[in-house]
Amino acid sequence: MTDTLVESHPLLASAQNHSRYLQRLFLCRPDLAAETAQSAAHAFSRSEMLQRLRAHTVDSDEALSLALRRLRQAVMARLIVREINGLSALTEAMHTISDLAEVAIEVALDWVSQPDERFGEPIGEESGSVQKLIVVGMGKLGGRELNVSSDIDLIFIYPEDGETNGRRKISNHEYFVNIGKRLIRLIGDTDANGFVFRVDMRLRPFGDSGPLVSSFAALENYLLTQGREWERYAWIKGRALTGDEQGMAGLMELVMPFVYRKYLDYGAYQSMRELHSQIRREVERKDRLDNVKLGPGGIREIEFIGQVFQLIRGGRNKTLRSRATQQILQQLAEQGLLPADVVSQLQAAYIFLRDVEHRIMYLDDAQTQMLPGAEDDQQRLALSMGFADWAQFRAALDAHRGQVNQHFEEIFLQPEQNTPQGDSHEVAIDAFAEGNTPLYAQLGYSQPEEIQRRLSNMQDSSKYRQMPDRCRRRLDSILPNLISCTAQFDNPDATLMRLLDLLDAISRRESYLALLAEHPQTLKRLASLYSASPWVSEYLTRHPILLDELLDVRLLHQAPDWDKLGRLLREQMNELAGDVEARMDSLRHFQHSQIFRLVSQDLAELLPLEKLSDHLSDLADLILNVALEQAWQDLPNKHRDTHRFAIIGYGKLGGKELGFASDLDIVYLYDDDHPNAADIYARLAKRIVNWLTSMTSAGQLYDIDLRLRPNGSSGLLVSTVEAFTEYQHHSAWVWEHQAITRARYCAGDAQVGQQFEAIRHQILCRERDVSALQAEVLKMRNKMLETHPALAHDVKHRRGGIVDIEFIVQFLILAHSRHLPALTANAGNIALLDVAAQHQLISTASAEHARTAYRELRRLQHRHRLNGKELKLEHINAIALDMQAVEALWHSLFPAQL
């Protein structure tokens, strides 16, 4: 009857053609074949599993054992039929098997944990409460990505020691050992009906030689004193499957600091590399290069790629603590830690290799990831994967594995394979050896004695002598390559001295030294930046956490997507919701990282200055928005869920002309008629100031200037829209109207922002006495010259310079916007000069000269601030004709100066 059913049901027939296990199963259980034929259209759900178990009468371990094994057979039969016929995808298979494991553990544990008349229940000696066994799923079970013939890695934990409360008292440890043994037998023993899951307990503290169960105290002591690097890797996927919420939360509080370091942990590369090498040697020893899990380019390499990023960054970035491989890979792409095309290849390979793994296991329900050797099985596997023959399948498999192995080798490259190339005598430098002075001179250093003195002082310092051995060894290995790299630049002495300041700053932080030791190719990028700009070198030395940005130049030079970055930033803020200090640090790390990426792109000449300023202004807007959101979220005694508050940017922020070290000129506005609104929004404003300006361990965000608010420093910190309007119309000075020409809504409530923009437009379009306006603008310019003389090398304040051009544009806006509203657009000085020329307010030639001068003077000013070198007059004089034209335009607009 079974054969007839299978032959008449194409889904069952194709599945049996692939799986000998299914053939045997249906032969033994014809009822299961009929049931599977009826139910193959839908996935096996968790609720269906529980329902089937409840249908069994369970009055003994044996009865439950049979029910669990029959459930496993039903799940496997449906999975095979659905997967082989293309009715399901990898995610369904992984989650279904993981559900089966969780259900089996939950039901079995409930059964074996029933109160016992002899022993009673285990009671905690501190809390006096009943203790529950916490079953921790490790490995693929923890990540809900079990394979279809997987064993399950478990660890048994209980919160408190103590003893039971029955007639015969035993220790909680002894009680839970008995519970654990029964649980393992129920799930793992093999009988005539097979098994549910093979159970592996070797990941517990001390492995096979350790106790079967551990208390929280014992686990904590083990992790602190005995925990090894590979166990950090293993615990990444650790997940509590049973226990109450308090117990599970307590367990994670113990484990997370062991797995995830507070700082970036680049030492993880070496430990993961060693673990992989050990696995690879074992695979090669057993001639298992065709193992799709452990062989080159296999599943394990994809998992390792994701997990090394987790170990390195998960301490700071909680979004990288997911247990599922595919989710982690997606996060790496989302956060720009791996290029999207690399992640796409890894994701495709992971799905392909896991599908292959399942189809291998379906052949005989064997726990193997080895490609079959028999031709019949090879053909079965190829057909089940959608290929006509083994050769086509093998070509696709090899392509996936080749890509995985290439990415793995690039990420886990041995440092000595990636040492910066140089002449043999360069590589042989002993940085601390006496008598190296001639060699430094030969390399191109102009002050070899000073180099030798600085290095000798470093070696003789107490800081160096007191460094941990690991740090000292890493530092000693870095210096020769650093000296060789630095010698290749035009200013080797200054570059090396700056880099030695960095090494001095990070000398006791093994993680940063490990980064440079693990990735010597970053030394050249680092030296290039330190050579190009003292500002950048000071910034990096102050924020060495940014060193990891140097690892992948593709990501470093990737154009920012501010919407995407904003989503990621807010996700990080949500992850840290209960910790204000951590959120403030996270916001600072984010800002520093984006500034460093932009300055790297700037030095690589990938961004014109206008685009760079746009990006820096967009970054500031994002930071202001998030700081406002966080401050409002934490504000006590709020009167409403959504604020009616906006931040207005003036000056360089308002004109979107920010530089790397610019402060922010801002004004706070609100529109809220609540009786306590003034006090509430004043407190909010102060919190925003605190978020922006406080110096934390991660540094500072921005200096801010609030003096442009109505009535300046003596005025209220925040203003209503109504009061602001009144002030601008009736009390503001002309220079304040000049300032509003470069103001814009930056953050907060969009409706309040729109109200500000309407006020700004009204003010700029007011009818003015042009003669009086000329006099006021001229008066303000002369006042500035009293404090900032027009020196020849001062590109900002010299005549025909930046300030003159800005004042010219501001005058044109205030004088003519009433008849030419296009001038009110916040489009920047260069664009507005063009608008003025198009409408014959100034000549086309004058506008072009002013545009050229403004663009070039800003570029010179920007370069001066980055490279720290004094501006040379010849560079300024190169645009002398343009500046003379600006002076002529000034005199034509302000004839009173003649």
Side-chain angles (χ1 to χ4, degrees), residues 326-510:
Q326 289 175 285
Q327 290 179 18
I328 283 299
L329 291 175
Q330 189 58 40
Q331 277 294 319
L332 295 179
E334 283 285 324
Q335 299 186 28
L337 298 173
L338 276 179
D341 60 332
V342 171
V343 169
S344 179
Q345 291 173 8
L346 292 174
Q347 294 277 32
Y350 184 79
I351 293 170
F352 188 92
L353 291 169
R354 290 299 306 269
D355 284 344
V356 171
E357 175 188 49
H358 283 183
R359 282 151 179 76
I360 292 171
M361 292 175 169
Y362 286 148
L363 291 172
D364 293 299
D365 191 23
Q367 189 184 15
T368 178
Q369 287 93 4
M370 290 295 296
L371 293 172
E375 289 186 8
D376 287 351
D377 286 349
Q378 289 177 348
Q379 186 64 14
R380 283 189 175 95
L381 179 56
L383 291 173
S384 71
M385 289 294 294
F387 295 92
D389 54 40
W390 180 252
Q392 289 185 18
F393 163 76
R394 191 59 196 254
L397 173 65
D398 291 345
H400 281 299
R401 292 180 68 181
Q403 287 181 334
V404 171
N405 192 237
Q406 176 186 344
H407 297 314
F408 180 88
E409 295 296 344
E410 288 174 354
I411 291 169
F412 287 90
L413 191 65
Q414 290 283 358
E416 60 268 23
Q417 293 175 263
N418 207 18
T419 299
Q421 297 300 305
D423 297 336
S424 58
H425 67 272
E426 294 177 354
V427 178
I429 291 172
D430 180 353
F432 294 126
E434 294 294 336
N436 265 342
T437 303
L439 182 53
Y440 294 140
Q442 185 179 348
L443 289 173
Y445 289 96
S446 60
Q447 297 178 299
E449 295 85 1
E450 181 62 20
I451 300 296
Q452 185 71 70
R453 186 193 65 78
R454 176 71 185 272
L455 291 168
S456 297
N457 287 345
M458 176 185 284
Q459 186 183 33
D460 294 338
S461 68
S462 59
K463 178 183 284 190
Y464 179 83
R465 291 196 302 270
Q466 294 169 10
M467 286 169 63
D469 288 342
R470 293 192 308 273
C471 291
R472 191 184 302 113
R473 286 195 300 271
R474 288 194 187 277
L475 181 61
D476 292 351
S477 71
I478 290 167
L479 277 170
N481 291 330
L482 190 64
I483 293 168
S484 298
C485 267
T486 307
Q488 301 171 25
F489 293 93
D490 294 336
N491 54 344
D493 297 80
T495 304
L496 181 59
M497 290 300 184
R498 294 169 189 167
L499 285 165
L500 291 177
D501 288 339
L502 170 67
L503 291 182
D504 185 62
I506 66 173
S507 59
R508 297 187 65 84
R509 301 285 288 276
E510 186 188 1

Side-chain angles (χ1 to χ4, degrees), residues 11 47 54 84 130 263 297 550 588 634 709 718 732 748 798 804 849 867 886:
L11 297 181
S47 60
R54 293 191 193 103
I84 295 302
V130 176
Y263 300 102
L550 294 168
R588 282 154 175 74
D634 296 339
R709 66 185 187 268
V718 295
R798 66 168 288 165
D804 278 355
H849 282 299
N867 62 34
V886 171

Side-chain angles (χ1 to χ4, degrees), residues 593-845:
S593 175
Q594 299 310 315
I595 285 178
F596 181 62
R597 291 186 181 193
L598 290 171
V599 77
S600 299
Q601 294 174 33
D602 182 32
L603 291 174
E605 298 183 351
L606 298 176
L607 292 173
L609 182 57
E610 290 85 353
K611 188 63 177 176
L612 172 65
S613 292
D614 284 345
H615 281 318
L616 288 170
S617 302
D618 289 339
L619 171 61
D621 288 356
L622 175 56
I623 296 295
L624 288 171
N625 269 296
V626 173
L628 168 54
E629 292 161 10
Q630 297 301 310
W632 180 255
Q633 174 183 306
D634 296 339
L635 191 71
N637 303 318
K638 294 191 293 284
H639 62 299
R640 57 190 303 159
D641 293 332
T642 305
H643 61 75
R644 296 275 292 137
F645 182 93
I647 300 176
I648 309 303
Y650 276 70
K652 285 185 169 58
L653 174 63
K656 301 199 80 169
E657 293 183 348
L658 281 184
F660 289 116
S662 298
D663 58 4
L664 305 184
D665 293 298
I666 58 178
V667 167
Y668 297 130
L669 297 181
Y670 71 93
D671 183 19
D672 192 328
D673 57 5
H674 189 276
N676 298 328
D679 175 64
I680 291 168
Y681 290 120
R683 287 189 288 114
L684 174 63
K686 289 176 182 177
R687 283 178 177 258
I688 295 169
V689 171
N690 185 56
W691 268 84
L692 295 174
T693 64
S694 291
M695 183 64 70
T696 75
S697 60
Q700 186 184 31
L701 286 169
Y702 295 101
D703 283 322
I704 63 172
D705 191 334
L706 299 166
R707 290 174 297 176
L708 286 174
R709 66 185 187 268
N711 294 308
S713 298
S714 62
L716 296 173
L717 187 61
V718 295
S719 299
T720 64
V721 170
E722 182 180 5
F724 182 82
T725 304
E726 176 72 15
Y727 179 84
Q728 290 295 333
H729 278 289
H730 302 292
S731 303
W733 298 85
V734 171
W735 68 264
E736 291 178 285
H737 287 177
Q738 285 182 249
I740 211 172
T741 65
R742 284 157 56 85
R744 65 184 177 87
Y745 158 70
C746 292
D749 184 84
Q751 188 172 346
V752 177
Q754 290 171 2
Q755 290 176 274
F756 165 77
E757 295 296 346
I759 297 165
R760 175 180 177 273
H761 185 80
Q762 292 169 11
I763 295 299
L764 297 184
C765 291
R766 284 175 60 177
E767 186 169 3
R768 291 177 170 86
D769 182 321
V770 175
S771 297
L773 178 64
Q774 286 173 317
E776 287 293 330
V777 171
L778 188 57
K779 178 181 175 182
M780 177 55 63
R781 183 69 185 98
N782 290 333
K783 188 174 181 180
M784 287 184 68
L785 288 169
E786 292 174 6
T787 55
H788 296 88
L791 303 177
H793 62 273
D794 187 341
V795 297
K796 181 176 181 180
H797 295 100
R798 66 168 288 165
R799 300 320 309 254
I802 291 173
V803 172
D804 278 355
I805 297 171
E806 290 175 343
F807 270 50
I808 286 171
V809 173
Q810 291 163 14
F811 167 74
L812 292 172
I813 293 171
L814 295 177
H816 300 288
S817 289
R818 179 174 180 81
H819 306 292
L820 184 55
L823 283 172
T824 66
N826 199 317
N829 290 312
I830 290 176
L832 291 173
L833 284 165
D834 188 47
V835 171
Q838 290 174 11
H839 292 83
Q840 290 83 48
L841 301 180
I842 59 176
S843 71
T844 302

Side-chain angles (χ1 to χ4, degrees), residues 170-283:
I170 59 175
S171 69
N172 287 354
H173 183 270
E174 185 179 353
Y175 175 86
F176 285 121
V177 166
N178 294 333
I179 292 291
K181 287 179 177 178
R182 286 181 67 193
L183 177 64
I184 292 170
R185 285 196 298 270
L186 278 170
I187 294 174
D189 281 2
T190 302
D191 58 23
N193 289 286
F195 55 87
V196 188
F197 287 95
R198 307 170 190 87
V199 179
D200 191 334
M201 302 294 299
R202 290 175 295 176
L203 292 179
R204 69 185 189 268
F206 299 106
D208 283 340
S209 63
L212 186 66
V213 299
S214 297
S215 66
F216 278 7
L219 176 64
E220 182 176 29
N221 182 65
Y222 174 82
L223 295 179
L224 287 173
T225 62
Q226 304 288 330
R228 289 158 289 182
E229 283 296 309
W230 69 262
E231 288 177 290
R232 291 180 61 206
Y233 155 75
W235 271 100
I236 285 176
K237 291 184 181 292
R239 179 168 60 95
L241 306 177
T242 66
D244 56 35
E245 288 187 13
Q246 183 178 355
M248 291 190 288
L251 174 63
M252 289 299 103
E253 286 180 13
L254 288 180
V255 172
M256 287 300 101
F258 169 69
V259 178
Y260 296 111
R261 302 295 190 249
K262 184 177 180 181
Y263 300 102
L264 295 176
D265 181 18
Y266 284 95
Y269 275 112
Q270 182 61 28
S271 58
M272 294 286 278
R273 188 186 295 117
E274 290 171 354
L275 178 58
H276 182 265
S277 297
Q278 179 182 341
I279 294 169
R280 181 69 64 79
R281 286 194 298 272
E282 183 69 11
V283 170

Side-chain angles (χ1 to χ4, degrees), residues 531-551:
S531 172
S533 170
W535 186 90
V536 174
S537 65
E538 290 171 9
Y539 195 77
L540 256 178
T541 301
R542 198 163 61 247
H543 306 296
I545 199 169
L546 298 172
L547 287 172
D548 72 301
E549 296 286 344
L550 294 168
L551 291 179

